[in-house]
Amino acid sequence: MLGGIGVASFFLLTEPKRLDASTLASLGTGDATRGERIFWAGGCTSCHARPKAVGDARLELAGGLQLKTPFGIFVPPNISPDPKDGIGSWSVEDFANAMMRGVAPDGSHLYPSFPYTSYARMNPADVADLYAFMKTLPAVAGRAPGHSLSFPFNIRRGLGLWKLLYLSDEPVIALAPDAPESVKLGRYLVEGPGHCGECHTPRSLAGGTDEARWLAGAVAAEGEGVVPNITSGEGGIGGWSAGDIASYLETGFTPDFDSVGGAMVDVQHNMAKLQAADREGIAAYLKAVPPHPNGYPPRAQPAS
């Protein structure tokens, strides 16, 4: 009997939860022109374009990139408008539930390698705009391979428990009502569509972000190298001005005239397509984030 109660409780707690009717009603019709801005802010091409795609090929969202993590190999899917192999048959409601709740059209949980924990904070109208823009992109045939995960991570239903811990639409950083509009804009872009915290914040053993060390840098998800601290704390970017940050996002050059490298190359290319006010907002927000020391173990120092 107790076993039956336990199973029933598990299925009740882990049931995928879709958006409510009022949120779906606020999606609106969507505007592709506005959606292009959200597309670049969200960096959709960085994961969903074919590996090493350049130029216009970055808009062919066929998927296939392998993300090798301690939990297994995640493979971003085809999200082109192809009706068979992509998301061309999805409604805007399907798209919004995937983006903001991590629930697929068939009702299954999506893995948080797709950063819906950040997208949950997005304005529903922006999600509809993004959907409208993505419908204008090339349809690409061919399914990407599935994920390759070991037990128990291959049990999708268990993600319902994970979401109870880590899925929230509340902002990470509280701002005063009279905070500058640029900081508010930056918070929205960084915490929502830009999903910067997904890489720049340390994670728990369960894979959730440690919001107490928000943007303090982390060991790279794929286990090699580190993602830098982008707060003003020790080891971070406290020496950069807001103008330095905005310029870096536009040009790819640091205040010391070093150039962007690694996975940030793609991110910077995306950010360069935003309006100047968006980059300035991101910079203003990063200067307002509480400073934290490096959130990853410091690298060993050479012997003297």
Side-chain angles (χ1 to χ4, degrees):
M1 181 176 177
L2 290 177
I5 292 174
V7 170
S9 297
F10 174 80
F11 273 86
L12 180 63
L13 289 171
T14 59
E15 181 180 8
K17 295 176 176 60
R18 292 181 170 88
L19 294 168
D20 58 39
S22 63
T23 301
L24 292 176
S26 66
L27 288 168
T29 56
D31 180 275
T33 300
R34 293 195 303 263
E36 182 175 6
R37 168 179 174 253
I38 302 300
F39 178 83
W40 293 116
C44 307
T45 65
S46 297
C47 284
H48 291 279
R50 292 187 182 93
K52 299 182 180 180
V54 296
D56 289 344
R58 297 179 72 219
L59 298 177
E60 298 175 1
L61 305 181
L65 178 71
Q66 289 194 349
L67 304 174
K68 299 177 182 179
T69 78
F71 303 99
I73 300 174
F74 294 97
V75 182
N78 183 333
I79 58 168
S80 80
D82 186 86
K84 179 182 177 183
D85 299 322
I87 63 171
S89 63
W90 290 23
S91 67
V92 66
E93 292 82 7
D94 291 334
F95 186 75
N97 274 301
M99 289 282 294
M100 303 179 72
R101 288 295 180 268
V103 178
D106 65 4
S108 62
H109 290 295
L110 296 173
Y111 282 97
S113 52
F114 175 54
Y116 52 78
T117 44
S118 291
Y119 298 154
R121 303 184 184 101
M122 289 179 63
N123 182 325
D126 283 345
V127 174
D129 290 343
L130 175 60
Y131 171 82
F133 175 72
M134 291 183 67
K135 297 285 279 187
T136 71
L137 299 180
V140 183
R143 286 185 179 271
H147 305 314
S148 179
L149 308 175
S150 57
F151 179 84
F153 309 117
N154 59 346
I155 301 176
R156 285 181 182 263
R157 187 78 184 200
L159 286 167
L161 297 177
W162 189 91
K163 288 180 179 179
L164 290 175
L165 295 173
Y166 298 114
L167 180 59
S168 171
D169 59 5
E170 292 296 318
V172 178
I173 302 299
L175 297 176
D178 62 349
E181 290 302 315
S182 60
V183 176
K184 292 178 182 178
L185 171 62
R187 179 178 70 172
Y188 177 72
L189 291 171
V190 170
E191 296 189 9
H195 62 279
C196 305
E198 303 288 343
C199 287
H200 287 277
T201 302
R203 291 183 177 271
S204 68
L205 291 176
T209 54
D210 178 2
E211 293 183 356
R213 296 188 290 169
W214 182 244
L215 303 181
V219 175
E222 298 189 62
E224 296 182 4
V226 296
V227 182
N229 182 345
I230 54 172
T231 77
S232 296
E234 182 181 354
I237 57 173
W240 294 27
S241 69
D244 290 335
I245 298 170
S247 176
Y248 172 73
L249 296 175
E250 180 181 12
T251 68
F253 288 100
T254 71
D256 298 328
F257 299 101
D258 195 3
S259 58
V260 62
M264 190 62 192
V265 171
D266 254 359
V267 176
Q268 185 274 318
H269 286 171
N270 297 333
M271 291 294 175
K273 295 181 180 293
L274 299 180
Q275 299 172 358
D278 289 334
R279 293 188 293 270
E280 291 162 4
I282 292 169
Y285 169 77
L286 292 180
K287 296 299 289 185
V289 169
H292 297 292
N294 282 342
Y296 49 85
R299 284 174 285 185
Q301 297 298 313
S304 57

